Coordinates of all heavy atoms in Angstrom, one line a residue:
D1 N -20.4 28.8 -9.6 CA -19.6 28.5 -10.8 C -18.1 28.6 -10.4 O -17.3 29.0 -11.3 CB -19.9 29.6 -11.9 CG -19.7 31.0 -11.4 OD1 -19.6 31.2 -10.2 OD2 -19.6 31.9 -12.3
Y2 N -17.7 28.3 -9.2 CA -16.3 28.4 -8.8 C -15.4 27.6 -9.6 O -14.2 27.8 -9.8 CB -16.1 28.1 -7.3 CG -16.3 26.7 -6.9 CD1 -15.2 25.8 -6.8 CD2 -17.6 26.2 -6.5 CE1 -15.4 24.5 -6.4 CE2 -17.7 24.9 -6.1 CZ -16.6 24.0 -6.1 OH -16.8 22.7 -5.7
M3 N -15.9 26.5 -10.2 CA -15.1 25.7 -11.1 C -14.8 26.4 -12.4 O -13.9 25.9 -13.1 CB -15.8 24.3 -11.4 CG -15.9 23.4 -10.2 SD -14.3 22.6 -9.9 CE -14.8 21.0 -9.2
G4 N -15.5 27.4 -12.7 CA -15.2 28.1 -14.0 C -14.0 29.0 -13.9 O -13.5 29.4 -15.0
D5 N -13.6 29.4 -12.8 CA -12.4 30.2 -12.6 C -11.1 29.4 -12.8 O -10.9 28.4 -12.1 CB -12.4 30.9 -11.2 CG -11.1 31.7 -11.0 OD1 -11.0 32.8 -11.7 OD2 -10.2 31.3 -10.2
P6 N -10.2 29.8 -13.8 CA -9.1 28.9 -14.1 C -8.2 28.7 -12.9 O -7.7 27.6 -12.7 CB -8.3 29.7 -15.2 CG -9.4 30.6 -15.8 CD -10.3 30.9 -14.7
R7 N -7.9 29.7 -12.1 CA -7.0 29.6 -10.9 C -7.6 28.6 -9.9 O -7.0 27.7 -9.4 CB -6.8 30.9 -10.3 CG -5.9 30.9 -9.1 CD -5.7 32.3 -8.5 NE -4.7 32.3 -7.4 CZ -5.0 32.2 -6.1 NH1 -6.3 32.0 -5.8 NH2 -4.1 32.3 -5.2
T8 N -8.9 28.7 -9.7 CA -9.6 27.8 -8.7 C -9.7 26.4 -9.3 O -9.5 25.4 -8.5 CB -11.0 28.4 -8.4 OG1 -10.9 29.7 -7.9 CG2 -11.7 27.5 -7.4
F9 N -10.0 26.3 -10.6 CA -10.1 25.0 -11.1 C -8.8 24.2 -11.2 O -8.8 23.0 -10.9 CB -10.7 25.1 -12.6 CG -11.0 23.8 -13.2 CD1 -11.9 22.9 -12.6 CD2 -10.4 23.4 -14.4 CE1 -12.2 21.7 -13.2 CE2 -10.7 22.2 -15.0 CZ -11.6 21.3 -14.4
N10 N -7.7 24.9 -11.5 CA -6.4 24.2 -11.5 C -6.1 23.8 -10.0 O -5.5 22.7 -9.9 CB -5.3 25.2 -12.0 CG -5.4 25.4 -13.5 OD1 -5.7 24.4 -14.2 ND2 -5.0 26.5 -13.9
A11 N -6.4 24.6 -9.0 CA -6.2 24.1 -7.7 C -7.0 22.9 -7.3 O -6.5 22.0 -6.7 CB -6.6 25.3 -6.7
Y12 N -8.2 22.9 -7.8 CA -9.1 21.7 -7.6 C -8.5 20.4 -8.2 O -8.4 19.4 -7.6 CB -10.5 21.9 -8.1 CG -11.5 20.8 -7.7 CD1 -12.2 20.9 -6.5 CD2 -11.7 19.7 -8.6 CE1 -13.1 19.9 -6.2 CE2 -12.5 18.7 -8.2 CZ -13.3 18.8 -7.0 OH -14.1 17.8 -6.7
L13 N -8.1 20.6 -9.5 CA -7.5 19.4 -10.2 C -6.3 18.9 -9.6 O -6.0 17.7 -9.5 CB -7.2 19.8 -11.7 CG -8.4 20.0 -12.6 CD1 -7.8 20.3 -14.0 CD2 -9.3 18.9 -12.6
R14 N -5.4 19.8 -9.1 CA -4.1 19.3 -8.5 C -4.2 18.8 -7.1 O -3.2 18.1 -6.7 CB -3.1 20.5 -8.6 CG -2.8 21.0 -10.0 CD -1.8 20.0 -10.7 NE -1.8 20.2 -12.1 CZ -0.9 19.7 -12.9 NH1 0.1 18.9 -12.4 NH2 -1.0 19.8 -14.2
F15 N -5.2 19.2 -6.4 CA -5.2 18.8 -5.0 C -6.5 18.0 -4.6 O -6.4 16.9 -4.1 CB -5.0 20.0 -4.1 CG -4.8 19.8 -2.6 CD1 -3.5 19.4 -2.2 CD2 -5.8 19.9 -1.7 CE1 -3.3 19.1 -0.8 CE2 -5.6 19.6 -0.4 CZ -4.4 19.2 0.1
F16 N -7.6 18.7 -4.7 CA -8.9 18.1 -4.2 C -9.3 16.9 -5.1 O -9.8 15.9 -4.5 CB -9.9 19.2 -4.2 CG -9.6 20.3 -3.2 CD1 -9.0 21.4 -3.7 CD2 -9.9 20.2 -1.9 CE1 -8.7 22.5 -2.8 CE2 -9.6 21.2 -1.0 CZ -9.0 22.3 -1.4
L17 N -9.1 16.9 -6.4 CA -9.4 15.8 -7.2 C -8.6 14.5 -6.8 O -9.2 13.5 -6.6 CB -9.2 16.1 -8.7 CG -9.3 15.0 -9.7 CD1 -10.6 14.2 -9.6 CD2 -9.0 15.4 -11.1
P18 N -7.3 14.6 -6.7 CA -6.5 13.4 -6.3 C -6.9 12.9 -4.9 O -7.0 11.7 -4.7 CB -5.1 13.9 -6.3 CG -5.1 15.1 -7.2 CD -6.4 15.7 -7.0
W19 N -7.2 13.8 -3.9 CA -7.6 13.3 -2.6 C -9.0 12.6 -2.7 O -9.2 11.6 -2.0 CB -7.7 14.5 -1.6 CG -6.4 14.8 -1.0 CD1 -5.6 16.0 -1.1 CD2 -5.6 14.0 -0.1 NE1 -4.5 15.9 -0.4 CE2 -4.4 14.7 0.3 CE3 -5.8 12.7 0.4 CZ2 -3.4 14.1 1.1 CZ3 -4.8 12.1 1.2 CH2 -3.6 12.9 1.6
N20 N -9.9 13.2 -3.5 CA -11.1 12.5 -3.7 C -11.0 11.2 -4.4 O -11.7 10.2 -4.1 CB -12.1 13.4 -4.6 CG -12.7 14.5 -3.8 OD1 -12.9 14.4 -2.5 ND2 -13.0 15.6 -4.4
L21 N -10.0 11.0 -5.3 CA -9.8 9.7 -6.0 C -9.3 8.7 -4.9 O -9.7 7.6 -4.9 CB -8.7 9.9 -7.1 CG -9.2 10.5 -8.4 CD1 -8.0 10.7 -9.3 CD2 -10.3 9.7 -9.0
Y22 N -8.4 9.2 -4.0 CA -8.0 8.3 -2.9 C -9.1 7.8 -2.0 O -9.3 6.7 -1.7 CB -6.9 9.0 -2.1 CG -6.4 8.2 -0.9 CD1 -5.6 7.0 -1.1 CD2 -6.7 8.6 0.4 CE1 -5.2 6.3 -0.1 CE2 -6.2 7.8 1.5 CZ -5.5 6.7 1.2 OH -5.1 5.9 2.3
R23 N -10.0 8.8 -1.6 CA -11.1 8.4 -0.8 C -12.1 7.5 -1.5 O -12.5 6.4 -1.0 CB -11.9 9.7 -0.4 CG -11.2 10.6 0.5 CD -11.9 12.0 0.6 NE -13.2 11.9 1.2 CZ -14.3 12.3 0.6 NH1 -14.2 12.8 -0.7 NH2 -15.5 12.2 1.1
L24 N -12.4 7.8 -2.8 CA -13.3 6.9 -3.5 C -12.8 5.6 -3.8 O -13.5 4.6 -3.7 CB -13.8 7.6 -4.8 CG -14.6 8.9 -4.6 CD1 -15.0 9.4 -6.0 CD2 -15.7 8.8 -3.7
T25 N -11.5 5.5 -4.2 CA -11.0 4.1 -4.5 C -10.9 3.3 -3.2 O -11.1 2.1 -3.3 CB -9.6 4.3 -5.1 OG1 -8.7 5.1 -4.3 CG2 -9.6 4.9 -6.5
R26 N -10.6 3.9 -2.1 CA -10.7 3.1 -0.8 C -12.0 2.5 -0.6 O -12.2 1.3 -0.2 CB -10.2 3.9 0.4 CG -8.7 4.2 0.5 CD -7.9 3.0 0.8 NE -8.2 2.4 2.1 CZ -7.5 2.7 3.2 NH1 -6.5 3.6 3.2 NH2 -7.8 2.1 4.3
L27 N -13.1 3.3 -0.8 CA -14.5 2.8 -0.6 C -14.9 1.8 -1.7 O -15.4 0.8 -1.5 CB -15.4 4.0 -0.6 CG -16.9 3.6 -0.5 CD1 -17.2 2.9 0.8 CD2 -17.8 4.9 -0.6
F28 N -14.6 2.2 -3.0 CA -15.0 1.3 -4.1 C -14.4 -0.1 -4.1 O -15.1 -1.0 -4.5 CB -14.7 2.0 -5.4 CG -15.5 3.2 -5.8 CD1 -15.2 4.0 -6.9 CD2 -16.6 3.6 -5.0 CE1 -15.9 5.1 -7.2 CE2 -17.3 4.7 -5.3 CZ -17.0 5.5 -6.4
Q29 N -13.2 -0.2 -3.6 CA -12.6 -1.5 -3.5 C -13.4 -2.4 -2.6 O -13.4 -3.7 -2.8 CB -11.1 -1.4 -2.9 CG -10.1 -1.0 -3.9 CD -8.7 -1.1 -3.4 OE1 -7.8 -1.6 -4.0 NE2 -8.5 -0.6 -2.2
G30 N -14.0 -1.9 -1.6 CA -14.8 -2.7 -0.7 C -16.3 -2.9 -1.1 O -17.0 -3.6 -0.4

């Protein structure tokens, strides 16, 4: 449930989510 902690979840949204969007959009385009 690490996503349930506000501090951890905000870190995920601000950093790991955007990097995942970059990875996925590079793949999805092809």
Side-chain angles (χ1 to χ4, degrees):
D1 61 343
Y2 70 92
M3 287 284 210
D5 177 69
R7 182 176 183 270
T8 302
F9 185 60
N10 284 329
Y12 188 90
L13 289 184
R14 294 283 162 169
F15 189 81
F16 296 93
L17 170 59
W19 276 115
N20 282 332
L21 286 176
Y22 177 68
R23 291 167 64 238
L24 295 186
T25 52
R26 284 292 296 265
L27 176 62
F28 289 172
Q29 280 189 134

